[in-house]
Amino acid sequence: MTSFFDVLLGGVFHASVLFLVAAGLQLVFGVQRIVNLACGSFYALGAFFGITAVNWSIGHGAPQWAFLPVLVLAGIVLAAIGPFIELLLRSVYKRDEAFQLLLTFALVLMFQDVLRFFWGANPQQLGNLSMSYGKVAIGAVSFPTYNVLVMAASLAIAVGLGVFLSRTRYGRILRATAENREMAEALGADVRWIYASVFTLGTMLGTVGGALVVPTAAASLDMPVELVVEAFAVVVIGGLGSMRGALVGALIVGLTRAAAISFYAELEVLAIYVIVIAVLVARPAGLFGKPVE
Amino acid sequence: MSTAPGRPEPGTQGRASLLAFVAVAIVVLAAFPHVAAPYYVTLVLPAFAYAIALLGFNLLFGTTGLLSFGHALFVAIGAYGAAVLSSRLGVKSLELILVASSVAAAVAALPVALLSVRYVRIFFGILTLAFGMLFHSFLFKFYDLTGGDTGIRVLRPTILGMDFKELDKTAFLVGPFYYACLLLAVVLGVVMWRIVHSPFGLHLAAIRENPIKAEYLGVRVRRFRLLAFLISAFYCAIGGVILAINTGQADPELAYWTHSGELVFMTVLGGFASFFGPVVGAFTFIFLKSELMGLTQYWRFCLGATLAVIVIVFPRGLMGLAKDAWRTVAKR
Amino acid sequence: MTIQRRKILQGLGSAGAAVAAQGLLGVPAFAQSKPLRIGIIAPKAGVVGTIGECGLRGTQFAVDRINAGGGIAGRKVELVVEEETNPKDSIERLRKLVLQDKVDCVQGIVSSGVSLAMGAVAEEMKALLIFWDGTTQDGVRETMQNPRYVFRSTDNECEAVMASLLAIKHWKGKFATYAGINPDYSYGRNNFAAFEALLKKFGVEAKKVAEQWPKVGTLDLTSHVAALKAAKPDLIFSSLLFADLPIFMKTAHGAGLMDGKTRFAFPGAGFQHTLLKKEFTPEGMIFGHNTLYFALDNASPLQRYFVQDYEAKYKDYPHWEADRAYFAMHIYRAGVERAQKAKNAWPGQEDVINAMEGLKVESLGGPAEMRKDHIAEQTFYQGITTHKNRYDFPTLTDVTRMYSDQLQKPTGMDFWKWIETANIKL
């Protein structure tokens, strides 16, 4: 029975991280109709910068247990690049979507070398910091507390985003702009500002995700291109533009992967694609998506 | 594509000068091995490969308006086809390898296309990316079948039955194989020109401009997109065969999504709205990348910046620039 | 820095199919003034980027000392460095180095996929190529019988064989079940297969209870560790060697797999040794450092100096790729010098190749040589982890040192046949 919970928790943990990246993707797509191929690059940036931030803070006397808030802060601070990137993307808003996709691909290429320039070719790690919070044990099942905190944080963000989008005024304006940009503009919404802030928020989700995950993993140069594939699988399964889809899609991907690893390790990677194709055949727009055309 | 200028109809004089340019280019390419440094001649081979692949790709992108981020999948099928046929099945004939691999790619394209052409725009791009990566995972995973990460050897083919045994590989590549590829590129280019300017091609353009209207006018949108997809897969596979013979190995990285991204990059660099844009883009990109890799270790950044500049400032690519320049000159 | 930048060749130059610098039977004085150009192809990014970096440092160290001593047979060495990426692009770089830059020798390559393709191309181009790593084996099948121009490093399986032997020696009879977690590509597959074949050979009665094949470079191993834990193996054999190795260590430690009941063998742990911190890397595990163990007790003065120099320059400790790169450079140097002495004139390529066969040199990690069949023989080091040191990561105690002639198959033999029939000592 313990193994079942171990598997379950492992899958949920992976899903939590995926959700953060996918949520960023969905938010930006939902409002701006941009699919950001560089979502993985933001994630990697968050991971590398998070390590630098934690090392710096500990080197300047911060207590070790404070590394979690430092990471979150690092991720949030990094979101400052969001407006600049959005400014770049602004030049292609009026153009065909293909150009937007291409511009984000250009960003992927550029980011790879930016990361290498600042952090070198070596993968970076945060040692065993993630174990600083000890383990959570329920009966025979034990799981690092840090991982539980990450899952909780992810859930909190999911709930927060949900509340934000449905209850706050800004959230409603966002959804209105997503539905019908011209109408929203006509009704007085400052669409430019909305686009900039949404993109920044989406970036932040990616950078925070990367920063949060790095203690249990590592920051490496091939993260950006690898992550895109999984993130896209989540988005296709969940439905493009849907936050709920991001959550459910992430859970499906995370749990499928965990199940495959436990029961038939060879299927690990292919299982995800099988699910993607199955969803597409059954529900072309994804589980929660609206048909796009 | 709302910003695509559509197919500009050159007048007879425009067409004549275009033909003249093409003729000159072919002559230059034919003479190249005799005047240029061997290394640069070996670079032209992947340029040929990509030129052919992109002619097909652009049928789907520039003409029909569907951006695929997974066409490296078909390039890889071409490469692995050449590998399996030459080193595992003992088939050495270049002609047979080309036909078999490209047909295999078209067949593989069928289910992918059937699933993907239901969608357009961004979703189409994401889906094709996923399919490309699915194939990459398959190639990597099924170690015994596909050689896994090391891939499969590609043995030297015979051209029209001749094996040129007396030539070493480099001489073979810059000699008979070079001319075979040039011929292939010209022939396939002519075929694609006919396709694009045929009623079928015009229907595709109509679908790109306004699919709803096209459907209303009786054009079977899905069917035509499907056909365009299959043709593009066919061409990409031929490009893959040439690449694989040049390298001597078919490896899974050929199917990775960033390779698909390079295909799009090259097309847009040359100019997707022009027939010759992809060809120009292929040649330019190959030489640009080679020089950049030698100049700086941050060549990825330079390439990315180049793409960004193209997308933002010169969306119609090099051919667009050339046409503008031509028009300015013609006015004077 | 002796690394040369390339100049752009404008337009069409006159081909002339220029005769390569090798084969220049010139007057020694003339030859001595021209530098010897050596091309290096090493990865700079991706999963293997860090490995290429360490190798390059090894090359730079070798070249600096060679040049300080007057060069190779009087000619200074000039490096032309290119990046190893995927097979297609890497072969283009090889062609550039040989056809355009006219280098006298090419060294490098880490990835097996690239090396397989490149070996064939180098043979066809008659270009002298010395691999740091990689292979010309398609799995275990040799694809390049009797290479003439390509020189290979040791077999991929050496560290697997050694780790397996050590595991059997130390723990035979002490484990009833075993599991494997290996990267899902040829290296991982070969390693684990070698381990299993050796278990069979030495009649070890153990049952396999789990087999994990994480994708290369996976950064989340929680589920894999959970699956391993559930299977309760007594011994885990893992050839993980990229960034996934420290992640595995941390995750396994966090999941309680390192509490002493399970034994571990890591043939390739040396690549990441400085990242495997003491907090989550316990003692008592078998670690492989391949051909360079930086903290060897009775290390040669050369190695001691190198490690000190490396630490001072890069604030890090080297792993074996630096040794592979050093060996490649020195076997070439020794070959050229030997051929030059024999000929009393600058040697041609064929002379150098003949001279390199059967040649012995002192590499960073210990004695090494190049077999007549163009496969290297080197000294391998593996041992048991200990925390009794001044670093924040474990080092080795009870170090076993084996020369690769005990670890790799002789010329032309099938790997599995060799394991079955050879008299491999524990």
PDB file of all heavy atoms in Angstrom, chain A residues 2 15 28 49 74-75 134 142 149 164 189 230 256 271:
ATOM      1  N   THR A   2       1.988   1.166   0.754  1.00  0.00           N
ATOM      2  CA  THR A   2       2.865   2.338   0.807  1.00  0.00           C
ATOM      3  C   THR A   2       3.353   2.670  -0.594  1.00  0.00           C
ATOM      4  O   THR A   2       3.484   3.820  -0.961  1.00  0.00           O
ATOM      5  CB  THR A   2       4.093   2.077   1.695  1.00  0.00           C
ATOM      6  OG1 THR A   2       4.727   0.868   1.245  1.00  0.00           O
ATOM      7  CG2 THR A   2       3.694   1.888   3.133  1.00  0.00           C
ATOM      8  N   ALA A  15       3.076  16.631 -11.384  1.00  0.00           N
ATOM      9  CA  ALA A  15       1.954  17.386 -11.931  1.00  0.00           C
ATOM     10  C   ALA A  15       1.953  18.817 -11.416  1.00  0.00           C
ATOM     11  O   ALA A  15       1.654  19.753 -12.159  1.00  0.00           O
ATOM     12  CB  ALA A  15       0.640  16.695 -11.571  1.00  0.00           C
ATOM     13  N   VAL A  28      -1.520  33.193 -20.872  1.00  0.00           N
ATOM     14  CA  VAL A  28      -1.091  34.041 -21.975  1.00  0.00           C
ATOM     15  C   VAL A  28      -1.879  33.722 -23.239  1.00  0.00           C
ATOM     16  O   VAL A  28      -2.299  34.613 -23.966  1.00  0.00           O
ATOM     17  CB  VAL A  28       0.425  33.868 -22.216  1.00  0.00           C
ATOM     18  CG1 VAL A  28       0.845  34.526 -23.493  1.00  0.00           C
ATOM     19  CG2 VAL A  28       1.197  34.430 -21.040  1.00  0.00           C
ATOM     20  N   PHE A  49      18.423  31.156 -11.756  1.00  0.00           N
ATOM     21  CA  PHE A  49      18.476  32.357 -10.940  1.00  0.00           C
ATOM     22  C   PHE A  49      18.138  32.030  -9.490  1.00  0.00           C
ATOM     23  O   PHE A  49      18.698  32.620  -8.561  1.00  0.00           O
ATOM     24  CB  PHE A  49      17.493  33.394 -11.509  1.00  0.00           C
ATOM     25  CG  PHE A  49      17.592  34.738 -10.857  1.00  0.00           C
ATOM     26  CD1 PHE A  49      18.698  35.532 -11.059  1.00  0.00           C
ATOM     27  CD2 PHE A  49      16.577  35.208 -10.021  1.00  0.00           C
ATOM     28  CE1 PHE A  49      18.799  36.773 -10.453  1.00  0.00           C
ATOM     29  CE2 PHE A  49      16.667  36.443  -9.413  1.00  0.00           C
ATOM     30  CZ  PHE A  49      17.783  37.231  -9.638  1.00  0.00           C
ATOM     31  N   ALA A  74      12.760  35.109  -5.797  1.00  0.00           N
ATOM     32  CA  ALA A  74      13.607  35.130  -6.993  1.00  0.00           C
ATOM     33  C   ALA A  74      12.740  34.984  -8.235  1.00  0.00           C
ATOM     34  O   ALA A  74      12.916  35.694  -9.225  1.00  0.00           O
ATOM     35  CB  ALA A  74      14.645  34.018  -6.923  1.00  0.00           C
ATOM     36  N   GLY A  75      11.799  34.053  -8.174  1.00  0.00           N
ATOM     37  CA  GLY A  75      10.909  33.843  -9.311  1.00  0.00           C
ATOM     38  C   GLY A  75      10.093  35.079  -9.615  1.00  0.00           C
ATOM     39  O   GLY A  75       9.920  35.462 -10.778  1.00  0.00           O
ATOM     40  N   GLY A 134      12.965  18.417   6.433  1.00  0.00           N
ATOM     41  CA  GLY A 134      12.676  17.079   6.933  1.00  0.00           C
ATOM     42  C   GLY A 134      11.646  16.353   6.096  1.00  0.00           C
ATOM     43  O   GLY A 134      11.368  16.714   4.961  1.00  0.00           O
ATOM     44  N   SER A 142       6.635   8.001   3.708  1.00  0.00           N
ATOM     45  CA  SER A 142       7.335   9.238   4.045  1.00  0.00           C
ATOM     46  C   SER A 142       7.674   9.988   2.771  1.00  0.00           C
ATOM     47  O   SER A 142       7.990   9.383   1.762  1.00  0.00           O
ATOM     48  CB  SER A 142       8.601   8.923   4.838  1.00  0.00           C
ATOM     49  OG  SER A 142       9.663   8.673   3.971  1.00  0.00           O
ATOM     50  N   LEU A 149       5.325  20.891   0.352  1.00  0.00           N
ATOM     51  CA  LEU A 149       5.138  22.338   0.295  1.00  0.00           C
ATOM     52  C   LEU A 149       4.973  22.811  -1.146  1.00  0.00           C
ATOM     53  O   LEU A 149       4.142  23.686  -1.434  1.00  0.00           O
ATOM     54  CB  LEU A 149       6.348  23.049   0.928  1.00  0.00           C
ATOM     55  CG  LEU A 149       6.393  23.027   2.447  1.00  0.00           C
ATOM     56  CD1 LEU A 149       7.677  23.645   2.945  1.00  0.00           C
ATOM     57  CD2 LEU A 149       5.194  23.747   3.028  1.00  0.00           C
ATOM     58  N   PHE A 164      -8.944  34.727  -8.607  1.00  0.00           N
ATOM     59  CA  PHE A 164      -8.540  35.978  -9.245  1.00  0.00           C
ATOM     60  C   PHE A 164      -9.289  36.203 -10.554  1.00  0.00           C
ATOM     61  O   PHE A 164      -9.784  37.301 -10.827  1.00  0.00           O
ATOM     62  CB  PHE A 164      -7.025  35.885  -9.492  1.00  0.00           C
ATOM     63  CG  PHE A 164      -6.461  37.009 -10.293  1.00  0.00           C
ATOM     64  CD1 PHE A 164      -6.306  38.263  -9.737  1.00  0.00           C
ATOM     65  CD2 PHE A 164      -6.076  36.802 -11.598  1.00  0.00           C
ATOM     66  CE1 PHE A 164      -5.769  39.293 -10.475  1.00  0.00           C
ATOM     67  CE2 PHE A 164      -5.537  37.832 -12.334  1.00  0.00           C
ATOM     68  CZ  PHE A 164      -5.381  39.080 -11.774  1.00  0.00           C
ATOM     69  N   ALA A 189     -11.456  49.088 -21.500  1.00  0.00           N
ATOM     70  CA  ALA A 189     -10.301  48.368 -20.938  1.00  0.00           C
ATOM     71  C   ALA A 189      -9.023  48.806 -21.631  1.00  0.00           C
ATOM     72  O   ALA A 189      -8.998  48.982 -22.841  1.00  0.00           O
ATOM     73  CB  ALA A 189     -10.498  46.865 -21.121  1.00  0.00           C
ATOM     74  N   GLU A 230       6.416  18.440 -22.746  1.00  0.00           N
ATOM     75  CA  GLU A 230       5.463  18.029 -21.714  1.00  0.00           C
ATOM     76  C   GLU A 230       4.403  19.084 -21.494  1.00  0.00           C
ATOM     77  O   GLU A 230       3.216  18.771 -21.332  1.00  0.00           O
ATOM     78  CB  GLU A 230       6.203  17.767 -20.397  1.00  0.00           C
ATOM     79  CG  GLU A 230       6.441  16.305 -20.137  1.00  0.00           C
ATOM     80  CD  GLU A 230       6.918  16.046 -18.721  1.00  0.00           C
ATOM     81  OE1 GLU A 230       7.787  16.792 -18.244  1.00  0.00           O
ATOM     82  OE2 GLU A 230       6.397  15.103 -18.108  1.00  0.00           O
ATOM     83  N   THR A 256      -0.056   9.623 -15.125  1.00  0.00           N
ATOM     84  CA  THR A 256       0.211   8.600 -16.139  1.00  0.00           C
ATOM     85  C   THR A 256       1.681   8.234 -16.139  1.00  0.00           C
ATOM     86  O   THR A 256       2.052   7.057 -16.193  1.00  0.00           O
ATOM     87  CB  THR A 256      -0.159   9.113 -17.539  1.00  0.00           C
ATOM     88  OG1 THR A 256      -1.480   9.625 -17.501  1.00  0.00           O
ATOM     89  CG2 THR A 256      -0.051   8.014 -18.565  1.00  0.00           C
ATOM     90  N   ALA A 271       3.681   6.682 -23.093  1.00  0.00           N
ATOM     91  CA  ALA A 271       2.341   6.705 -22.500  1.00  0.00           C
ATOM     92  C   ALA A 271       1.679   8.059 -22.666  1.00  0.00           C
ATOM     93  O   ALA A 271       0.475   8.154 -22.957  1.00  0.00           O
ATOM     94  CB  ALA A 271       2.432   6.330 -21.020  1.00  0.00           C
TER      95      ALA A 271
END
